[in-house]
Amino acid sequence: MVFGSFVSSPRAYLSAKQALELANVYLENANNADDAYISLVLCHDTEVSLYQAKKAIKHTGNQSLVGGIATAYIGLGKLLERRGQDSGARASFKVAEKLGGKVQDPVQPEKSPRSSGIIRSIKDTFHSSGSSQSPGSVRDSIVGPPKQQRHDATSIPSYIFAKNVPPPIADLKLPESDERLSSTPQLVCCLNLLQDFRSPDDISDPAARQWLEAAMKDADEQERLHVMATEIIRAFKRDEIKDAKVIAEVVCLAPVLNKDAFHDLLGEFYSGIDNSGLLNYHQVEGLAQLIQGADPGHLSADDLVKVLELLSTRLRDTHQQSTQYMYQLTMAVSHVLDAMADTKVTGLDREKLHEPLSTYLKDLQESKDTYLVYQAAYAYQALLCVPDNETVWEAAMRRTGKVIQGVSGLVSAVKGLDLIKFMEGLEGIQKGCEGASVIVDIVTTAYKDVSSLMESGQTFMDSLKQGLSFERKRDWYSALRGADTLIQNGELATFKKLVCEVPCRLDAAFQWGVCQRLGDIAVNSVWDAGTRRSAIEFLGEIYRDDTTWGQHSSVKQWILNILMQISSSTEISQLHSTTTATLLQELETSGDEGKQDLHRMCRDKGRVSYPLKTSLPEPATPSLLDRVQNRPDVEGSLRILRKQRTKERGNAVYIPPQAKTNRQASDDAQFPLMGKVEEFLSSDQMVFLLLGESGSGKSTFSRELEHELWQLYKNKTGRIPLHISLAAIDKPEHDMIAKQLRRIEFTEPQIREMKQYRKFILICDGYDESQQTHNLYMTNQLNQPGEWNAQMIISCRSEYLGNDYRDRFQPGDRNRQSDSSLFQEAVMTPFSLEMVHAYIQQYVSFYQPLWQTNDYKQALDLIPNLKDLMKNPFLMTLSLEVLPRMVDPGQHLSTTRVTRVGLYDHFVQQWLERGKKRLGEKDLTPQAREAFEGLSTEGFSLNGVEYLKRLAVAIHKEQGGHPVVEYSQLKDEGSWKDAFFNQKHKQLLLEASPLTRNGNQYRFIHRSLLDYGLALAVFDPQDKNKISAPIQVIARRGSAGSILSLELQDESENTDISHGQEPDPNSPLVWRNFVNDHSLLQFLEERARQEPLFQEQLHSYLEHSKKDKKWRIAGANAITILVRAGVQFVHTDLQGIRIPRADISYGVFDSVQLQGSDLRKVNLRGVWLRQTDLSRSQMTGVHFGELPLLSENNGVFSCAYSPDGKSLAVGLYSGDISLYATSNWERIHVLKGHSDWVRGIVYHPNGSQMASCSQDETLRLWNVDAGTCTHIIIGHTSYVNGVVYSPQGNQLATAGSDGTVRLWDSVTGDCRRTLSGHSEPVLCIAYSPKDEQFASGSEDRMVRLWNVITGDCIHILSGHSDIVWDIAYSPQGHQFVSVSSDMTIRLWNVETGTCRHVLKGHGNAVYGVAYSPRGDQVASGSQDGTVRLWDVETGVCLHTLTGHGDTVYCVKYSPKENQVVSGCADGTVRLWDISGGSLRVDSRGHSQKVCTVKCSPKGDQIASGGWDGTIRSWDSQTGEGLKVLRGHTETISSVVYSPQGDYIASSSTDKTIRLWNMESGDCRHVLTGHGGYVEDVAFSPQGQQIASVSHDNSVRLWNVATGECCATLSGHTGNVYSVTYSPDGRQIATGSEDCTIRLWGVENGELHKTLHGHENWVKCVEYSPQGDRLASSGGDVTVRLWDVEEGECRFILIGHSDWVWCVAYSQKGDLLASSSVDKTVRLWSTVSGECRAVIQNLQDYHRAVDWNTSSDGMYLFTGCDDGSVLKWQVVEEEELCSVRLQWSATNGTLTMTGASIQDVQGLTQINKQLLKQRGAVGEPEHMLREASKKAMTMASVVSKLKQSSDKAVQDPSSNEDTSSELQVEETES
C-alpha cells in the first residue's frame, strides 16, 4: 500500500532531502544491477530525482544538501562512464563541478541510514523484484548493451552507410525558350529559379545561370511557365479520379505557387477530402506534402484549424474499415501532423486542435494489429508536437527552406542538423517529459519468453498503452523526425550515428521507426545500389546483435516482415531481392533456439502487407503536364509493356554470367557481364557487342538485362529499354525501332513522340538469327540529327562471324568512318563448376525434378565429359531435364556416355511425350480426338520427330534458315506454311512440339533446335527407310551412340543396298551448303563420330560426287563433316571428287589420290597433304591462310611497307636492302651501299623516297623508283639504330649508339638539332602522327618523349627492366608501345605518360613492334622465334604465329591490314595472312617443337613433351588428346612412364624433374638439385628410382617415394644428354657431349665402362629389350650398336645425313628406329644392320621416336618440330618392310612435302610458290604413282564401313570404337 501510494503521487511534491535520498537509492540499485539495461533505467531515475532535488533547493534556498547532490552526480557520472555512456557521464561531472564537487576524487554515494519508510519500501521492492526471477530472466526481459561497451556508431560495421551521400535529386535539363517541357518537376525548377534568385550571379551552376539570364530577358517565357503551372492545377481539378499519380504530380508545384494559386489547390484538396464518400488516404498524403512544401506566408492558423477539424470529422467514419486501410490512413494523418509540426504557425490553440484527433488515435490502442497501434502512437506523438510555442524540437527541426528537387541541387532540402546540439535537445525533451513519469511494471518483450507472434505483438501493445507513447511527449518521436531530415538530405553516415547514440535507442518504438525507414530506403529505387544494400545489412545487424539492440521480439518480427517484403517484391532489382533472401537464410540460424523459433513462426505466418515507400508514385499517363501540352500518352503504354515483360520473364532460374574481353582472351580472364554492361551504359560508348557460342545464354542474359533496366527506369527522363528479337523484324537494317514499337502496338503519334524526345537502350538479340551482314547502328542512323537516340547492345553467335567482324558493329560518322572508341565487346564464357552447382540448386528448388541436387552432383562427378557439356547453359538445361530418364536404374554412372546430340535426342523425345500426355488429358473436339488417336497408333513421338524434321527442312529451304515463321491462315492458305500450321493432325503435333508462339509468329524454343532438326533430317538413327544397313525398330531414342544403345527386337530386317545405288537426293546435304554453319556441323560431326552408318553415307556422297556434279554440294558437306569428326584420309583414292567451298582445314590427307578433283575455294588452312597427288585439280580461290616466305642470304633486321602497300623493303645483315613487289613478291631492287647491318628502314609519307640507317654509322636516302642513293648523311659517331620521317616528311629523326637523337632536313640532309639525355645508346625512335612529339628508347631502359619544336624532353618513362629495343605510336597518336629485353610489351598513354598495359607472353627478348593501321592491334617479334598479335584495348594475346627458326627482329602490318610481315635472323621474311579463314583451330598438337614421345607400358597411351612447356597424353588408338599437364616453366626435354603406367616423370630446361599422377594430372614431386638444364630422365624397371642427367655434367639418382636425391654420379666432362636403365635395373648408360657413353652400377654408383667411338656428342642411348645390346646416336650422323658385356661396337649404321636425335628399340628388339635432323626416320635391322625402311618427305625433322606393339600390329610414334605427334604402322612382309601413317595430331601446320601439283588449274602464282616452299613438286614421284596403283577405291571404304556397322548392330554391347578402323585402308607404299 505504501509503495502504491507513492507511485500514485508525483515526484514534484518530494522535498530536496527526500529527492536526494531517492536518488541515492536509485544509484545504489543501479550499481548493483547485473542487467545493463535495468542499470541505465535506474541511472535515468537517479538523474530525474537529482534534478528535483536541485529544483527544491532553489525554491527553498537551503544550500546544506548541495554537497550531497554534487557527490551523487559524481557517482552517477562514474557509473555512466562504466556503462559506456560517455556523453551522459561528462554531463553529470559538469553539473557536479558547478555544484562545487571534485570530480578528480569522487566519493561513492552514501547509503542513508535514516531512510524513510517510503524509501525503504521502494528499496525492498526493487530487491524483491530482482530475486523473484532467475539471474538471467531480467536480462532476457530487457537486454541492453554490456558493461564497458560504448553505444556509438562503431557497433554497426563501418561499410554500412560509410559516408554521407548526395540526396537523391532529379537531374533535369532546363528547357530552351518555348521548348516543350518534359515533366512537371522541370517546370518547378524553372519557376523556382525565377522566384528565388534575383540575379543570375547568385547561382553557381553555369547551365542554370545561363538559363536564368535568358529567361529574365524573356517576359513571354516567364508568362508561359506561370500559365503552365496554373493550367496544371486546372487539369487536376478536372480530373475525376485524382489517384496517387496526379496527386504526386500536382503537389510538387506547392513551393512555387503564388498565394492565390496555392489556396486554390489547398481548397481542392480540402473539398476532395470533405466530399469523398470514403476517405482517400492518397488525398490526405497529398495534403501533407502540400503543407510541407508551402511558402510559410501562404498558410494561416485558420487554414490548419480547418484541416484538423476536417480530419477529425472524417476519421470518425472510418472505424469499420480494414486494418490495412486504417494503417495507411493513419500514416497519412501522421504525415499531415508532421507537416504541421514542421511549419511555423503562430496563434494556434493547441488544446482545440488536440482533442478531436487524440480521441481517434487513443481509440486505436484497442486494435489487435501491432502495426496499426504503432502508427497510431506515432501519429499521437506528432499531434503532441504541433506547435503552440517555441520548443526544443522546433528549434532543431523547423524548416529553413523549401523542399524542391531540381537541376544539380540548385535549391537544397532541409539543412543538415548539428547532431551534437540536436542530441542535447533530445535530452532536454526527455528530462522535461519525464517530470510526470510513473513507475510501471517491466513488460517482457524478449523473444525467448514469447510463445507466439500474437503474444509478441500483445506485449508490444501493452508497453505502448502503459505509458510509453500515449500519455506524454517522448523523445523517440523527435529522434525519428531528426532521422527523417538526415535521410532526406542524404546524411546517412550521420543518420547511423544518430541511431546508435540517441538516448532512446533501446526504445522499441524508436527501433520500429528506424527499421521502417531502413526498409523504405532498401526498396526505393532513387537510392543507389550500395545505399540500398547498406539499409538491408543494417536491418540484419539490428536483428543479430541482441547485446547492442536488445531482444524486443516485436522489433525482430518487424525486421523479418520487412525483409520478406523486400525479397518478394517485384518492384526491386533481382540483385537486392537475392541479397535479402540470402540474409533471411542466414538469420534463420542466428541466435539461440528461442530466436530461431521466432524466425520460424514469422516464416510460417508469411509477410504482412504493410507497404514500404518504394518511391513517389509514377506520374499519371497522360500526366497533367501532358494533358496541358496535348502530348500522347507514352508512359501508360510503357507501363503496360513493362508489366508484360516482367510477367513473361517470370521466376526463371538465372545465374549471372561471366565474360571475357574477346574471343581470343583466356577463359581465366573473366569479369561479371552485367557489371561490364552497366559500365558501358554509363559511358559515352554506343555499341556493345555480346558474343557467345550457341546456348551460352545470350538471350537469357538479354531478357534479364531488360528486366533490370525496367526496374531502374525513371518515367519520362529515363532511357527506355527495348528488347528486339532481330529475327522477328522484317529488314531490321531500316527503321528497326519503329518496326518493333509497332509490333508491340504503339501508335504512330507515340512513336513520333519517342523518336523526338526520348532515349532508348536497345537490346538487339540474335544478329546471327536474322542472318544480318549490315551494320545496324549505321543503317538505322542512330544518334544522327532527327533520328533515334539510343545505345545498342547486340548479341550474336561467335561462330557466325569471321575474323574481321568489327566493321559490322562499330559506330561511325556519315562518311562511314568507324570509331572503335564508341564500341565495346564481350564474349560469354562457359559456366564454372561453382555456377553449375548454383544453377542446379535453383533448378531443383524451382522445378522439383525426379533427381535431387546431390543426384545431379554425383552425375557430374562420375559421367565422363558431363562437366564440359554442362558448362554450356542451354546444354545444362537439357541435361537437368533428361538425365533422370536418360540413366537406367542400376546403371553405374561412370559407364554412361553423354554427348550433345544425345541430350537433344532425349530432350525432344521427352518433350513430345509430355505433349502427348497433355493432349490426351485435354478436352479435344471429336475430329481432333480422332486425329490424336491416329497419331498415337502410328507412334506419336515418331510422328513428332518427323514433323520437327520436315519443319526444319522447310524453314531452311523456303526462307533460308530464318528462324521465325509468320503464318496467317488467310494470307498463307495453300502455301508451304499451311501444311504445318493448319491441318488438324499437324496442329496437334505443333502444339506438342518444342515451338513457341508470339502472335502469328512461330519459332523453336531455342535456335539450336532448328539446327538439330535439320541435322536429324540429314541423318536420323531411327529412320530405317534411309539407312542402308540392317536396322530394327527402336523403342527408345538416342544416347551417346544410338547404334550401341538400341533396344532391338528379336526380328531384324536386312536392307542391304548395293553401293551403286544413289544416296538420298532430297537430303539437305544435297541442296544446302553447311560449311559455315558451326552449330549444325556440331550435331553432324557428333553423329559421324558415333555412327559408322552415317560415315558410310558421307563417303557415298563423296564417291558419287566423282560421277556427277549435282552431288558436289553434298560432297563438300560430307568431307567437311568427316574431317571435323576426326576421320583421316591415308592412302585413299579420292580422284575426281567435287567438293567446292568445303572446309577441310587441319585435315590429314597422307598419300591420297586427288587427281582431277574440284577443289575450288576449299579452305586448306593447316592441312596435311604429304605425298598427295593434286595434279590436274581445279584449285581456283583455295585458301591456305599463309603466303610464301621470302628467303635472303643474310639475316633480316628491319623491314617496311611502302605507304600504298605495293612494295616491301627488307634490311639485311650484309648492308643490302631488298625491295619486293607485293603483287607477286618478286624482288625488284637490291639497294647496295651500306657496309654493315641495316638497322632501320622507313618510307617517305609520299612513298617516293626511303631512308635507311646502319651500323656503318651512316644514314642514306634513296630514290625508290630508280633504286639509287641520293644522300649519304654522316653525323652520328657510332651505330645509327633507328630512323623515322615526320608525318609531313620534311624532317628525319635518327637514334644513335652515341647516345644522341638527331633531327635532319629530309631534303638537304642538314642536321637541325642534336638532343641528348639518354645515358646509353639510343636504339629506336618514332614520330607521333600528330607531329608535335617523338619518342626514343635506349639501352638505359628509359623511353623519352620530346617536343618537336623546342627539343625539350616532355616525359621520361620508366618501367622496363632491360634494354628498350623498339617503339611505335598508334595511328591516332594517343598512345604508343615499347618492347624490351625484359620480355614485355608496354602500352603507354601519350598525354599522361602512364602505362596502360604490360603484355606478357614471349619467352625471350622482344625486338620488334608495330601498330595495325586501325590501331586496335599490335604485333610483336621476339627472340623466342614467334610473332604475337595483341588486342590493344584488353592487352590479350590474340594469336601466336610460329614458323621462324630464329630471332624475329622486325614486324610490320600491311597498309590494308590483311597481312603481317616478320623478318628473322635465319634470313627469312614470313608473310602472315590475317584476313580470314576457318575459325576452327586445331589445338590438339603442341604449339611448338615436340622433343620427346613415350608409350605407356600397356600401350593404350602415349605422352609427349615440347618447347611449349606442356606434357600431353594421347589415346594411342585414336589420337584423341587426354590430358595436358602444366607446371614446367621451360622446354620439356624428356618424359617417361613408370613401369606400372600410373606416373610420368618429366625433365625440363627449367632445371627440374616433375613426377605426375596420370589419373588426376597432379604433380606429386618437384625434384630440384641440378645446376643446369635437365636433358633426360628414366624410371628404373622396378619403378622405385629415377635417373636424370643434366648440363651440369652430372647424373643423379632419386627416390620416387620421397623425392630425395640418392646419389650423384660424376665423370662426364661435358653436358650429359641421355640416360637409360638396363632391363634388369642394375646398370644405367649415359651419353654425353664429351663423345662418350658411360655404363654405371646402380647399387654403388661405380663406373663400369666407358665406350669410345662417336666422333661428336652422343645425344641418345637405349638398351635392347634383352639388355645385351646398347644403341646410341649423336652429332657424328651415325647410329652405333654396342655389345654391353664387351663394350665393343658391333655395328655402325650409316644412312642419315645430319645429326641423329633419337633411337628406340622395337619390343622384340629386332628393329631399331632412328630420327634425324635430315627430316627422315629410319628403321634398321639389329641383326644385319641394314636399313629396312625410310620415312621421308617429312615437313620438319622428328626429334623423338618410340615403339608400341599390340595384337593388331607394330606401331611407331614420332614427335616433330612442327608440333605434331604421329602414329605409323610398320608392316613386315617377307623381305619388305613398309611404314604407313595411321593418324597425326597436328598443330595446324600446312604440310605439302612430296605433294604433286602438276597441271593444277587456277592456283595463283603466289600459292604455287607457297606450296613449292612447303615441299610440293611439279609432278608425282615414282612412289606416288606406285601407290596409286595399289590404293583402295571408295567402294572398298564403303564396304569396310558397311561391315563395321553390321558388326556393331549385331553386337550392340560392344564398346569398341571402330572409327579408327574405318579411317584407313592399308596399302603398301
Side-chain angles (χ1 to χ4, degrees), residues 174-175 181 185-195 211-212 225:
L174 291 166
L181 298 172
Q186 186 186 35
L187 172 63
V188 173
C189 288
C190 296
L191 291 174
N192 182 70
L193 287 172
L194 291 169
Q195 180 175 301
W211 181 89
L212 185 58
L225 296 174

Side-chain angles (χ1 to χ4, degrees), residues 164-171 403-406 408-414 484-492 526-528 531:
N164 294 331
V165 299
I169 57 175
D171 190 10
V403 183
I404 303 174
Q405 296 179 345
S408 304
L410 292 172
V411 184
S412 67
V414 179
D484 288 336
T485 300
L486 294 173
I487 292 171
Q488 190 174 28
N489 292 327
E491 299 179 59
L492 299 178
V526 301
W527 295 103
D528 63 75
T531 298

Side-chain angles (χ1 to χ4, degrees), residues 81-293:
E81 195 171 45
R82 292 201 307 274
R83 294 297 186 190
Q85 301 293 314
D86 290 353
S87 59
R90 287 194 299 270
S92 294
F93 291 148
K94 189 174 182 180
V95 174
E97 288 177 350
K98 287 183 178 180
L99 297 175
K102 295 182 179 180
V103 179
Q104 295 84 355
D105 187 22
V107 181
Q108 291 294 327
E110 296 182 2
K111 301 177 183 177
S112 175
R114 299 184 298 275
S115 300
S116 66
I118 296 176
I119 300 300
R120 282 196 300 271
S121 297
I122 297 173
K123 184 174 180 181
D124 294 341
T125 301
F126 275 118
H127 281 300
S128 63
S129 173
S131 62
S132 66
Q133 303 181 59
S134 64
S137 63
V138 176
R139 185 179 298 109
D140 292 338
S141 299
I142 305 176
V143 176
K147 296 179 182 180
Q148 306 299 329
Q149 179 172 331
R150 176 181 174 85
H151 302 308
D152 58 20
T154 58
S155 63
I156 296 296
S158 59
Y159 63 83
I160 294 178
F161 294 152
K163 60 181 180 179
N164 294 331
V165 299
I169 57 175
D171 190 10
L172 302 174
K173 176 181 177 293
L174 291 166
E176 300 292 334
S177 180
D178 292 322
E179 181 182 355
R180 186 162 61 170
L181 298 172
S182 63
S183 65
T184 301
Q186 186 186 35
L187 172 63
V188 173
C189 288
C190 296
L191 291 174
N192 182 70
L193 287 172
L194 291 169
Q195 180 175 301
D196 282 7
F197 295 94
R198 296 186 176 181
S199 169
D201 295 335
D202 297 336
I203 303 176
S204 59
D205 185 86
R209 184 168 60 249
Q210 183 180 359
W211 181 89
L212 185 58
E213 288 174 350
M216 292 181 71
K217 298 175 184 178
D218 190 345
D220 291 339
E221 178 67 6
Q222 294 181 45
E223 178 67 17
R224 181 179 81 94
L225 296 174
H226 283 292
V227 168
M228 196 78 69
T230 305
E231 290 297 322
I232 289 174
I233 295 174
R234 291 177 181 172
F236 174 71
K237 294 171 72 174
R238 289 192 298 269
D239 189 274
E240 295 181 359
I241 301 177
K242 291 185 174 56
D243 61 10
K245 299 170 183 177
V246 295
I247 290 172
E249 181 179 2
V250 77
V251 295
C252 74
L253 287 170
V256 295
L257 296 175
N258 58 40
K259 191 169 185 178
D260 291 338
F262 176 81
H263 273 273
D264 188 20
L265 184 56
L266 181 63
E268 182 65 23
F269 273 97
Y270 185 93
S271 62
I273 295 172
D274 191 23
N275 297 327
S276 61
L278 179 65
L279 187 54
N280 187 332
Y281 65 85
H282 292 307
Q283 289 187 337
V284 180
E285 190 73 55
L287 180 63
Q289 296 177 33
L290 192 65
I291 295 171
Q292 284 180 318

Side-chain angles (χ1 to χ4, degrees), residues 364-617:
L364 293 179
Q365 291 183 75
E366 304 306 320
S367 171
K368 295 181 179 180
D369 190 298
T370 314
Y371 306 95
L372 181 56
V373 174
Y374 168 74
Q375 197 57 51
Y378 181 90
Y380 193 89
Q381 286 293 310
L383 180 59
L384 292 175
C385 290
V386 173
D388 54 351
N389 51 32
E390 191 72 6
T391 66
V392 178
W393 165 247
E394 289 173 80
M397 295 298 296
R398 188 176 303 106
R399 299 283 182 177
T400 57
K402 306 185 192 76
V403 183
I404 303 174
Q405 296 179 345
V407 179
S408 304
L410 292 172
V411 184
S412 67
V414 179
K415 294 181 180 178
L417 293 175
D418 183 327
L419 189 61
I420 296 177
K421 293 181 179 178
F422 179 66
M423 300 281 275
E424 291 175 354
L426 289 176
E427 291 175 1
I429 292 175
Q430 188 181 46
K431 292 174 183 177
C433 295
E434 289 296 340
S437 177
V438 293
I439 302 295
V440 296
D441 290 333
I442 295 172
V443 180
T444 299
T445 59
Y447 50 76
K448 180 175 289 187
D449 298 308
V450 176
S451 59
S452 69
L453 293 180
M454 183 178 296
E455 183 177 333
S456 168
Q458 190 59 45
T459 55
F460 177 67
M461 289 186 279
D462 289 343
S463 65
L464 288 174
K465 296 172 186 177
Q466 294 182 41
L468 283 176
S469 298
F470 281 93
E471 298 298 330
R472 60 195 178 281
K473 290 183 182 179
R474 295 288 296 185
D475 53 352
W476 63 261
Y477 171 77
S478 302
L480 290 175
R481 296 297 290 127
D484 288 336
T485 300
L486 294 173
I487 292 171
Q488 190 174 28
N489 292 327
E491 299 179 59
L492 299 178
T494 312
F495 163 74
K496 178 173 75 171
K497 187 175 179 65
L498 170 70
V499 171
C500 294
E501 298 183 10
V502 74
C504 58
R505 54 183 295 277
L506 294 176
D507 195 313
F510 175 72
Q511 291 184 10
W512 264 61
V514 168
C515 292
Q516 187 173 34
R517 283 152 179 81
L518 290 171
D520 290 340
I521 293 173
V523 298
N524 197 333
S525 60
V526 301
W527 295 103
D528 63 75
T531 298
R532 296 167 70 183
R533 192 180 300 111
S534 284
I536 295 169
E537 291 168 348
F538 203 146
L539 287 167
E541 288 298 320
I542 296 175
Y543 186 90
R544 291 190 192 97
D545 190 356
D546 294 343
T547 303
T548 302
W549 300 99
Q551 292 182 343
H552 301 297
S553 61
S554 60
V555 175
K556 308 300 183 184
Q557 177 189 348
W558 183 218
I559 291 172
L560 294 175
N561 185 41
I562 290 171
L563 293 176
M564 285 191 288
Q565 287 197 60
I566 296 172
S567 66
S568 61
S569 174
T570 59
E571 300 295 325
I572 63 172
S573 69
Q574 176 78 17
L575 173 65
H576 292 99
S577 62
T578 302
T579 300
T580 311
T582 303
L583 176 59
L584 279 169
Q585 290 180 352
E586 294 174 0
L587 298 183
E588 189 171 357
T589 57
S590 173
D592 59 17
E593 185 177 347
K595 196 169 186 179
Q596 293 174 18
D597 288 342
L598 178 70
H599 189 289
R600 194 157 36 252
M601 287 188 289
C602 289
R603 183 193 61 201
D604 295 342
K605 180 180 180 182
R607 68 183 182 90
V608 181
S609 299
Y610 288 107
L612 299 171
K613 295 183 197 173
T614 56
S615 61
L616 288 176

Side-chain angles (χ1 to χ4, degrees), residues 880-1037:
L880 299 179
E881 179 81 11
V882 306
L883 273 175
R885 300 190 182 189
M886 193 173 184
V887 178
D888 292 325
Q891 179 181 3
H892 195 277
L893 291 175
S894 62
T895 64
T896 304
R897 293 186 62 197
V898 177
T899 63
R900 181 173 182 263
V901 71
L903 288 174
Y904 278 80
D905 286 339
H906 279 270
F907 174 77
V908 169
Q909 180 78 8
Q910 199 163 305
W911 187 288
L912 290 170
E913 288 174 359
R914 282 205 303 263
K916 176 187 176 183
K917 181 180 179 183
R918 189 173 59 252
L919 288 171
E921 296 170 350
K922 190 175 179 182
D923 186 15
L924 301 174
T925 64
Q927 296 88 344
R929 176 61 62 182
E930 182 181 355
F932 175 73
E933 296 297 339
L935 290 170
S936 300
T937 301
E938 296 171 5
F940 190 90
S941 295
L942 291 175
N943 278 301
V945 170
E946 191 63 28
Y947 176 84
L948 182 148
K949 290 192 297 184
R950 293 186 180 184
L951 179 58
V953 168
I955 289 174
H956 280 277
K957 209 167 192 176
E958 301 295 341
Q959 52 186 46
H962 188 75
V964 177
V965 181
E966 291 190 17
Y967 173 70
S968 170
Q969 192 166 354
L970 293 176
K971 180 181 175 182
D972 295 311
E973 185 176 1
S975 71
W976 68 271
K977 301 176 186 178
D978 221 24
F980 292 96
F981 304 107
N982 193 23
Q983 299 176 18
K984 290 293 181 185
H985 64 287
K986 296 293 179 64
Q987 287 180 343
L988 294 174
L989 293 173
L990 170 66
E991 188 174 341
S993 295
L995 297 166
T996 181
R997 178 180 179 180
N998 184 6
N1000 68 335
Q1001 293 186 338
Y1002 297 86
R1003 67 189 304 169
F1004 284 93
I1005 61 172
H1006 193 268
R1007 166 64 198 235
S1008 60
L1009 283 166
L1010 174 60
D1011 298 327
Y1012 168 77
L1014 191 64
L1016 212 55
V1018 172
F1019 181 84
D1020 182 356
Q1022 286 201 47
D1023 192 349
K1024 60 183 180 181
N1025 295 322
K1026 295 185 179 180
I1027 297 179
S1028 55
I1031 191 164
Q1032 292 77 26
V1033 177
I1034 301 171
R1036 175 181 170 195
R1037 289 194 63 80

